[in-house]
Amino acid sequence: MFDLHPPRLFQIDGNLGITAAIAESLLQSHNGTLRLLPALPPSWPDGDVRGLRARGGLTVGLSWRRGVLTGAELRAARGTTVDLHLPERAGLPVVTDDQGNLLVAATAAGDARRLRLRLAAGSRHRLTYRAPDIGH
C-alpha cells in the first residue's frame, strides 16, 4: 500500500493523503460545523472510530451500524460552540454530559439533523438516539 512511482520514488503525500481522505469521509469540520459520517463508504456498514481531531480543539469518536450513526462522543480541549450536522436516520438525538445529565434532546424530526452545543474546556458529551414518540 505504499505510494511508489517510477523510478522507485516514495511519495509521502500519496500515503498520507489516503488517511486524510478516510478521516474526511467520517468527520468533516469546517466553519464551526461538524458533519458526522458525511460520506460513509457503503462497504463499511458497521464500525467505530476514536480520536478523530476536529477544528476548535475537539476530539471525536463515532459508532455506526448498518450504515447508520448510533452514537458519538465529543471531547473539548477548550471552550467552544459547535453546530452538529447529523446524518438522516430513524430516531431522535439526545446529548448528555459525562455524568449522564441531559443537555439536548430533539423532540421532533425538524430538530433531529442540526444541534448547537456549547462545550466547556475539558468537557465530554455523548450523543445517542432514542426512538421517536409515536402517539395515537
Side-chain angles (χ1 to χ4, degrees):
M1 298 230 358
F2 286 114
D3 188 18
L4 294 173
H5 292 277
R8 308 187 85 142
L9 295 175
F10 177 77
Q11 289 191 305
I12 194 68
D13 59 333
N15 293 295
L16 298 180
I18 189 62
T19 59
I22 289 169
E24 197 76 8
S25 73
L26 301 174
L27 173 69
Q28 292 178 0
S29 167
H30 304 283
N31 300 321
T33 299
L34 290 184
R35 295 179 187 279
L36 307 182
L37 300 181
L40 182 66
S43 59
W44 297 351
D46 301 325
D48 58 78
V49 64
R50 302 285 175 260
L52 292 175
R53 296 289 296 177
R55 288 173 176 85
L58 298 172
T59 302
V60 179
L62 303 170
S63 298
W64 63 94
R65 299 291 171 259
R66 297 186 187 133
V68 176
L69 182 69
T70 57
E73 181 178 277
L74 305 174
R75 291 179 183 248
R78 61 180 186 260
T80 189
T81 298
V82 64
D83 291 322
L84 284 179
H85 185 94
L86 305 172
E88 290 186 37
R89 65 156 283 132
L92 301 172
V94 174
V95 179
T96 56
D97 63 17
D98 53 353
Q99 280 84 39
N101 299 313
L102 180 66
L103 301 175
V104 176
T107 56
D111 298 335
R113 297 230 24 227
R114 296 181 189 265
L115 300 174
R116 175 167 278 191
L117 300 176
R118 288 181 181 81
L119 308 174
S123 67
R124 181 175 65 185
H125 293 71
R126 290 197 174 120
L127 176 126
T128 55
Y129 285 93
R130 64 179 169 85
D133 295 328
I134 301 173
H136 294 282

